[in-house]
Amino acid sequence: MGIIKTAFFFLVLISISMGGVYIKSSASSRASANRMAQIAPIIIGNNGSVRFPERVPSPETVFQIQTAIQTDDAQSLNALLVKYHFYVLPGRRTK
């Protein structure tokens, strides 16, 4: 009977540790999914207009992005997009 209790005890310990590993891995995958959900698109038109279809940033951020677009400063525009979690969608090309 002692061997059965010991085996059962070790099985319980193994199942608890495996459950902890599973919970930890699923929590880290949820955290990365939440980080991806925070990234929102912006649309930059041909004339330099900027639209925010999902999330509107603060007016100061909008001004900084518009200034970087108007001055053709790709480096600062890229830094602003990374800082405020945006990605660029192309605007429609109309002729």
Side-chain angles (χ1 to χ4, degrees), residues 22-35:
Y22 176 75
I23 289 172
K24 183 178 178 183
S25 67
S26 67
S28 65
S29 67
R30 282 191 204 124
S32 66
N34 286 341
R35 273 185 256 126

Side-chain angles (χ1 to χ4, degrees), residues 1-73:
M1 194 69 162
I3 294 175
I4 294 173
K5 286 182 182 180
T6 305
F8 181 73
F9 178 73
F10 281 121
L11 284 174
V12 169
L13 286 178
I14 290 171
S15 66
I16 289 172
S17 65
M18 294 300 290
V21 169
Y22 176 75
I23 289 172
K24 183 178 178 183
S25 67
S26 67
S28 65
S29 67
R30 282 191 204 124
S32 66
N34 286 341
R35 273 185 256 126
M36 289 300 291
Q38 293 174 352
I39 298 174
I42 70 169
I43 300 172
I44 300 174
N46 291 337
N47 59 357
S49 64
V50 181
R51 292 184 294 152
F52 301 91
E54 289 184 14
R55 174 172 54 96
V56 179
S58 69
E60 177 66 27
T61 305
V62 173
F63 176 74
Q64 290 174 349
I65 291 173
Q66 287 176 339
T67 303
I69 291 169
Q70 291 169 355
T71 60
D72 288 331
D73 188 3

